[in-house]
Structure formats: structure tokens, C-alpha cells
Amino acid sequence: MITRITKDLPDDESNGYFYTPYTTKNIELMQYDAGSDFGAIKENIDTEPDHFILSVANTNINFYYDRDIGQFIQAPLSGVKISPIYTNNKITQWKVQDTQGNIYYFGLNNDAEYTQYSETISVDDSGASASLNNTTRHITSWYLSKITTSTSREINFEYIEQNSYYLNDKIEESFIHEGNEVSSPNNNINKRTYSRRNTTEKSLKKISFENTTIDFILDSTNRKDLTQIKPLKEIIIKYDNIFNKKITFIYDYFDADVSFLFDNLYSNSGDLFRLKLNAIHIINGSSQTPEVYSFSYNSTKLPRRFSYAQDAWGYFNGINNSSLIPKTNMYSITGVNSTIGSSDRSISESKTQACILNQITYPTKGSISYEYENNEVSLIQNLKYPSLYSEKTTDYWGFFPEIEITPTSTNNVFQNEYRKTLTLENDANIIADTQIENCSGNYFNDLSCSFRIQILNLTTNTTMFIEQPHLEFQLPKGNYEIIAKKTPNNNSVLTYGFSISFTIESNKINDSKIKTGGLRLKSYALLDADNQLKYKKVFDYSVDNIKSSGVTISYPIFYY
């Protein structure tokens, strides 16, 4: 198959990248030219090439059109020759020749997937607006039609058209702050953007070569998740038109856990299901007894599609968030110690494995089982942004004065200063709840307050004051001293003085093995029919068994 990821318009449209007179430089100039008609024509300007992906046999190649030299460029370059075939200035077919001399033809007999139109919908606090992209019916995938081998053997492929269906996707969810963080802290815009397109695809019907035919039979009923599409039911293989083998697919569905909040703007009944392969039955020749391969999965349920319960990499994390905007302190970005967002996008190793394949049982009743773990890295090259998305841990820390009671006084006696050390093993988000006797209101700037509370970084010797009853901020790992000083000239009779309670949220980070999103295979085991272990392979991704071999540029970045 050759697939196209469309950027702006299809490249081979009349205003597409192949044929448009506009360049990126033109667009930059038009945006600043009050006399230009940029606003009227911007929806019909294409200055970015589409992304094409070739996937056939053992070959996977990404390529795009370079307008400066007038030809397609592979990235990276290979010895495969890719040639487009045009009809009325549009690409309708492809011819690909590999390094062994085999030739692959795509799109013959209109073997292609079409998109009728695509729609972009933006929703913000003021309501919804929809815009229909100015694209005519165009090809998004070209199917393999024929292979001519280097020895002149020919393999042909036939397809059957499925029903058209609508595919909804969420492109982004954003929180935009306009104006000054201090003078206009609530000047915010919440926005969500979706895409919706109508697609007509084809399913493989038959493969034929020499005296062999392979027939692909669709189920008679539609899927529950893609409600207009029929799943593959059987594959039948014949030699000289005599039955040789039948492969039957036994399906069921993963039902969604509906307790999690989700974006319901473009949800539908199909979002509650995911197709699941339970078994494959194979009948050979005249045998009436099928060979059965069965599949077992992790029993943890996934939420429905468009759920907010996602880690920063998009995997299920089991946290019932109300949006996708992660809770983050903005001090390192804006210079103001404020928090935006409310969602916990940290990973959960157990929840990430929801519905994953755990075991395959063979016709012999022996089996292979799989064990997974989260990906790990030992180096994150860019930690400029404050949010960490590894597994979180929550601890609690408190600070209260020791009160002296003397035999000669019925009043509590307070010292002029109290100190307590706080040690953070990792960078942490601190939620501070503070009470100071004789303070009132939302700020501790009243001279009547009995104490002033400060946080001293013992490494950098820098200080910050706690000026609000409820405050959220971030502290890097290290040692701190929390200091409560009695205010001068305050001779009020006190009962409790002050109380400080910290909720400390930090990531479970081992500097040599930092867990990130997604899974990798930890081990697999072979068991006999009596479920006795016969062989086990464990994978080690570390260097010298000390640190992970993985490296990442940064955690996912959500803030600009």
C-alpha cells in the first residue's frame, strides 16, 4: 500500500503543492500586507508537501515531493525506484521497482481508498464553528494491484468496496492565556479542534497466481466499533480450484469502562467497543477438525474513545481527568508561580497494559505468554519544561510549633523562631495549606499576623515566602529549611501560632532508569500442555545492568 498524509490540500489538486504559485515566503509577505487578499484565499493555499508512505513486502519508505527539483525524494534514500502515474494531472497509480527487480503496481483498476471531504471543527468558549476544507474527492491510499517478479511470474490482487463511513479525530485541546499573568490572570480561552472526514475504502477480495487462489470472505454483519465496515471472516486457499485450507477468524469486542469522563462532542456508539480476535481456526484439506489458536488479553478495561484518562504519551493511565490540559506550575515559563490545567497525565504501568495480548495457546495446548514493562530512559536531554510524567507518588509533611507551658502562666509560650528541615529526593509539586494566627483574608501581608513563614533553599541560599493560605508551587530536589519567625511587636495572646501542611507530589524517578510512556516486551515464556514452564527469555535493555540504554529529547511538551 502507498498511503498519503495530506498537508493542507492534496498535492495533486489544482491548488495543491504540485501546482500552486505560492511559496512560504509569499505567505509571510501576504500576512503583513494589508492590501493582500490572504484572508480570502488562505484556505486554498498549499505550501507543504504531502507525506507519502510505501509499505510492501519487507520495504517501508517515507517520501515526499520536492518542488524545487520536480521529483519525489525518499527519506532516507534507498535503491527502490518509485514512479507516479498521472491521469488528468492527478496521481492515480504508482509503479515501484525494488532492488531485486520485482515490480509492484498500485492503484490499477481504481484500487484505492478515497476521502470525499474533510471538515475541521473548532470549539471555544463562545461556541462551535465548522469549516469545510476546499478539497474534492481524492485518493488517500493506493492498494497493491499486481506484482511482476524478476522471473516474470505474476501475482494479482482484487478488492471489494466497503461502505463509506465517517471518521472523527480530535486534533488538539488548548488553554490559551492572553494578557499579563498578574494583571489579567483569568483572561483565558479554552479551545478544542476536531477533524471529520468521509472515507470509502476497499477490502482485499482475492489473490491469484499461477494455479493458486486465495479468497478473502467478509463477515455478513458490520463491526460494532466501525459500524459501517465488515470484518474479515475467512480465508480460503485453493490449488487448481480444489480446496486446500480454510482460516476462520473468531471475534469478540473489548467493552469500554464507562466510568471515565470523556469528550462527548463527536462521540458515537462505536466508541464503546474495540474489535478483539479471540481465536483462529485452521482446517487443512479434508480434515473436519480445526487447529485452534486462541488469544488471551489483559483483563483491565480501556475507557471509551476520547477519554481524558491518558498519560502524556496518550496511553490509558486510569486517572479520571476532566480535560487533557496537564496540571502544571508555570513559574519556569512565565516567571509567575501560578498553576494552569487540572489533569494528571502521569503514567501507570498497570493501566497502560489494559487489553494487551498476554498469551497465545497453540493447537497442541502449549502456549506462549508475554510480560511487559514501561519504556525507560537514562537521559532526558531537555528538561526546560516543568512537567514530569513518570509515575507519581504523594507524601505529606507538617510543621507545627512546640508550645511551652510554664508553672507560673496559663498562657502558651511561643519561641521567636521555629525551623524544620524538608528533604526532597526528586523535583516535586507542593500544595501548601497554611494557617497563621491573627491573619485574615487571602494574603498573609497583614501586620497583625503572628508569624511569617519562609522556605530557605539550603543549596542556593535563596528564600521564598508563603504569602497565601493555599498555595501551589514547584521545588527542585534538595534540602530546605522551613522557617517560622514571630513578627516583632506582636504581643497577642496565642493559642496555636501557626500550622503548615504540605502535600508533596513527585515522580518516581531513578536517574538511571526513568520510566516513560508506552510498553516494551520484558519477557516471554513457553509452556507445555500441562502449563509447565519449558523456556523463558528475559530482555535486558540496560547498559552494564546499571542504567537504561534509552534516551529521549524531552518529555512531551504541552506549553509554549
Side-chain angles (χ1 to χ4, degrees):
M1 180 185 292
I2 294 179
T3 302
R4 163 165 52 192
I5 300 174
T6 303
K7 306 294 182 69
D8 296 325
L9 303 174
D11 281 355
D12 50 355
E13 287 292 303
S14 58
N15 292 319
Y17 185 74
F18 290 174
Y19 311 115
T20 181
Y22 296 102
T23 64
T24 303
K25 188 63 177 177
N26 294 146
I27 301 304
E28 291 176 354
L29 294 174
M30 290 174 69
Q31 289 185 77
Y32 295 100
D33 181 3
S36 78
D37 56 353
F38 175 71
I41 66 173
K42 63 181 179 180
E43 296 297 330
N44 296 314
I45 293 177
D46 183 8
T47 59
E48 184 176 4
D50 294 343
H51 176 194
F52 294 86
I53 305 167
L54 166 65
S55 180
V56 65
N58 294 320
T59 301
N60 288 279
I61 297 174
N62 293 269
F63 62 103
Y64 65 95
Y65 186 75
D66 188 326
R67 195 166 56 185
D68 292 335
I69 63 175
Q71 64 184 39
F72 284 93
I73 300 297
Q74 299 176 27
L77 185 64
S78 75
V80 176
K81 183 179 180 181
I82 304 174
S83 304
I85 299 172
Y86 295 84
T87 302
N88 296 325
N89 294 325
K90 293 187 177 181
I91 300 174
T92 54
Q93 300 172 22
W94 297 86
K95 179 181 176 182
V96 175
Q97 183 170 342
D98 66 19
T99 54
Q100 286 76 43
N102 301 308
I103 301 175
Y104 305 86
Y105 298 89
F106 298 86
L108 305 182
N109 308 310
N110 201 31
D111 294 336
E113 174 186 302
Y114 284 85
T115 289
Q116 309 298 110
Y117 71 88
S118 60
E119 185 179 24
T120 301
I121 306 101
S122 294
V123 181
D124 58 26
D125 297 332
S126 64
S129 62
S131 61
L132 185 64
N133 291 346
N134 188 19
T135 57
T136 58
R137 186 172 186 259
H138 63 280
I139 297 175
T140 49
S141 294
W142 293 261
Y143 298 129
L144 180 62
S145 301
K146 184 173 71 172
I147 302 174
T148 301
T149 70
S150 58
T151 57
S152 300
R153 299 174 68 189
E154 192 171 284
I155 305 170
N156 291 285
F157 300 79
E158 297 178 34
Y159 297 87
I160 184 172
E161 189 169 291
Q162 294 256 27
N163 293 325
S164 297
Y165 64 93
Y166 287 94
L167 184 64
N168 300 325
D169 280 308
K170 188 170 185 177
I171 300 174
E172 68 170 5
E173 180 173 336
S174 60
F175 174 98
I176 303 170
H177 177 77
E178 293 186 336
N180 184 276
E181 183 76 21
V182 177
S183 62
S184 54
N186 299 316
N187 192 12
N188 305 315
I189 299 173
N190 295 286
K191 182 180 178 182
R192 292 173 289 168
T193 304
Y194 309 84
S195 69
R196 187 169 188 257
R197 60 188 177 94
N198 180 263
T199 298
T200 303
E201 65 179 35
K202 293 185 177 181
S203 295
L204 189 59
K205 180 181 180 182
K206 178 181 288 188
I207 301 175
S208 56
F209 59 99
E210 296 177 349
N211 61 342
T212 302
T213 60
I214 305 174
D215 292 310
F216 297 80
I217 313 299
L218 299 181
D219 202 326
S220 58
T221 58
N222 290 346
R223 292 171 56 162
K224 286 185 177 180
D225 49 353
L226 298 175
T227 55
Q228 300 299 314
I229 300 298
K230 292 179 171 60
L232 177 64
K233 181 66 175 176
E234 293 177 341
I235 299 174
I236 298 174
I237 302 173
K238 297 178 182 178
Y239 295 148
D240 291 327
N241 209 32
I242 298 173
F243 174 84
N244 179 265
K245 181 180 289 189
K246 180 171 76 171
I247 304 169
T248 302
F249 300 91
I250 310 300
Y251 298 108
D252 199 352
Y253 290 87
F254 295 107
D255 296 326
D257 182 341
V258 298
S259 65
F260 290 91
L261 298 174
F262 65 99
D263 189 334
N264 63 0
L265 186 61
Y266 285 96
S267 63
N268 56 60
S269 60
D271 295 341
L272 293 168
F273 305 99
R274 293 172 174 89
L275 189 67
K276 173 173 66 173
L277 180 62
N278 273 353
I280 296 175
H281 293 185
I282 301 176
I283 294 178
N284 292 293
S286 59
S287 173
Q288 297 301 308
T289 303
E291 297 177 353
V292 177
Y293 296 78
S294 59
F295 305 89
S296 301
Y297 302 87
N298 184 291
S299 60
T300 302
K301 286 187 174 184
L302 285 165
R304 65 181 295 156
R305 199 161 175 251
F306 296 130
S307 164
Y308 296 120
Q310 300 178 31
D311 67 24
W313 289 265
Y315 295 93
F316 179 45
N317 69 356
I319 299 170
N320 207 358
N321 296 316
S322 59
S323 78
L324 291 178
I325 306 299
K327 179 181 178 181
T328 302
N329 185 281
M330 300 298 291
Y331 181 79
S332 65
I333 298 173
T334 64
V336 177
N337 214 333
S338 63
T339 300
I340 69 167
S342 61
S343 294
D344 185 342
R345 302 292 300 274
S346 60
I347 65 173
S348 166
E349 190 160 25
S350 61
K351 298 300 183 182
T352 304
Q353 298 186 40
C355 298
I356 199 169
L357 179 67
N358 279 345
Q359 183 170 295
I360 303 173
T361 302
Y362 299 107
T364 60
K365 304 303 181 183
S367 63
I368 181 170
S369 61
Y370 302 98
E371 186 180 7
Y372 306 92
E373 64 184 4
N374 270 101
N375 291 312
E376 292 178 340
V377 298
S378 59
L379 176 63
I380 302 174
Q381 295 178 341
N382 177 15
L383 275 176
K384 173 184 176 182
Y385 289 84
S387 293
L388 302 180
Y389 301 107
S390 300
E391 283 187 291
K392 279 190 170 62
T393 182
T394 301
D395 295 307
Y396 301 94
W397 182 93
F399 184 18
F400 310 91
E402 294 182 3
I403 303 172
E404 298 177 10
I405 302 178
T406 66
T408 60
S409 174
T410 58
N411 296 325
N412 297 333
V413 178
F414 290 83
Q415 300 173 19
N416 289 327
E417 183 177 289
Y418 295 89
R419 292 174 178 257
K420 186 174 181 179
T421 300
L422 169 66
T423 299
L424 298 177
E425 298 294 336
N426 296 301
D427 295 352
N429 188 67
I430 309 294
I431 302 172
D433 289 293
T434 306
Q435 290 182 322
I436 301 177
E437 199 162 1
N438 294 324
C439 278
S440 60
N442 293 324
Y443 295 95
F444 297 149
N445 58 358
D446 194 324
L447 293 177
S448 63
C449 291
S450 302
F451 284 87
R452 290 213 72 190
I453 313 295
Q454 66 187 72
I455 301 173
L456 172 64
N457 187 322
L458 296 176
T459 303
T460 62
N461 203 35
T462 55
T463 299
M464 66 171 285
F465 286 90
I466 295 180
E467 302 264 346
Q468 296 171 254
H470 182 82
L471 190 63
E472 190 166 341
F473 51 90
Q474 286 196 327
L475 292 177
K477 66 179 182 180
N479 294 314
Y480 298 84
E481 199 163 43
I482 314 303
I483 305 170
K485 289 186 177 182
K486 197 174 181 183
T487 54
N489 304 318
N490 193 317
N491 299 314
S492 302
V493 176
L494 303 179
T495 56
Y496 71 89
F498 65 89
S499 67
I500 304 170
S501 178
F502 283 1
T503 300
I504 304 170
E505 298 175 341
S506 60
N507 293 92
K508 296 179 181 178
I509 290 183
N510 176 337
D511 287 341
S512 61
K513 293 183 178 180
I514 304 170
K515 291 187 180 295
T516 60
L519 297 173
R520 65 189 184 192
L521 187 62
K522 182 177 181 181
S523 69
Y524 70 83
L526 300 177
L527 301 95
D528 63 16
D530 297 320
N531 210 35
Q532 297 299 307
L533 179 65
K534 292 299 181 181
Y535 176 80
K536 185 172 183 178
K537 171 71 173 178
V538 178
F539 296 91
D540 182 8
Y541 301 91
S542 64
V543 177
D544 299 327
N545 203 31
I546 298 175
K547 66 177 184 177
S548 172
S549 59
V551 175
T552 186
I553 295 174
S554 69
Y555 280 103
I557 295 173
F558 292 92
Y559 301 97
Y560 300 92

